[in-house]
Amino acid sequence: MNYSALSGVVSVMIGIIYTVQAYMLPRAAIGKPLAPLVFPLGLGSLMILFGTLQIIRSVRVGEFAGFGAMKGQKPTVTYSAKIITFTCVVAIIYALLFHRIGYVFSTIFFLGSMLFAINGVARWKTNLAVAIVFSLSVYILFSKLLGLILPRMPFIGF
């Protein structure tokens, strides 16, 4: 089973768990009782649908085989697998830093790390500029113009 087929299976499993948990959410006390469930149920259903489509695609291409078919093969790590692993690690660090150092600094770290991983170190000026400008712009848009609260920067009263 390759990464494509495995991601389809994992998507279906997570989608099923997510959909069941979403259905167990409390109903709205006023208005339409199922209104708060529409988006989560739709999201879970789409996860199941797209995971199933990924599995079907893998079966058609001949990439979907049982785990036993991998026994004699040496596993290979592709560039996309490295990027996926790097993204997961950086996302976990981002989540841990989010409330400690604020939205702007943690988003600069996350976006900058992802841009460096994809664009390379040679374009460091562009990567850093995009990370900083995007993070500050979104912070100003949401905090100041829309009045939504984002975690503040601890060292700056901004």
Side-chain angles (χ1 to χ4, degrees):
M1 183 178 309
N2 66 359
Y3 288 114
S4 181
L6 185 61
S7 69
V9 171
V10 170
S11 289
V12 170
M13 291 179 0
I14 291 174
I16 290 170
I17 293 168
Y18 185 85
T19 302
V20 168
Q21 292 295 319
Y23 190 74
M24 293 169 49
L25 288 170
R27 307 301 190 256
I30 54 175
K32 297 180 182 178
L34 296 178
L37 304 181
V38 171
F39 182 76
L41 288 175
L43 184 62
S45 300
L46 285 175
M47 287 178 70
I48 295 169
L49 173 69
F50 290 134
T52 304
L53 291 174
Q54 187 68 24
I55 293 170
I56 291 170
R57 185 190 147 279
S58 296
V59 168
R60 282 190 182 162
V61 176
E63 298 172 340
F64 191 85
F67 285 107
M70 293 179 67
K71 279 189 179 174
Q73 300 173 355
K74 183 178 178 184
T76 59
V77 179
T78 62
Y79 173 74
S80 61
K82 289 179 183 178
I83 291 293
I84 290 170
T85 304
F86 179 76
T87 302
C88 291
V89 169
V90 171
I92 291 170
I93 295 170
Y94 175 65
L96 293 172
L97 293 177
F98 193 72
H99 284 288
R100 288 190 175 100
I101 64 173
Y103 169 81
V104 174
F105 292 134
S106 60
T107 304
I108 288 171
F109 162 75
F110 177 75
L111 189 56
S113 299
M114 293 309 304
L115 288 171
F116 276 107
I118 293 169
N119 294 337
V121 181
R123 299 180 65 191
W124 71 271
K125 290 179 185 176
T126 305
N127 295 340
L128 197 57
V130 168
I132 291 171
V133 169
F134 177 82
S135 299
L136 286 173
S137 299
V138 169
Y139 182 79
I140 291 169
L141 174 72
F142 278 82
S143 293
K144 304 303 178 190
L145 299 177
L146 297 176
L148 298 173
I149 299 171
L150 292 173
R152 301 189 89 161
M153 295 178 273
F155 310 114
I156 305 169
F158 189 70

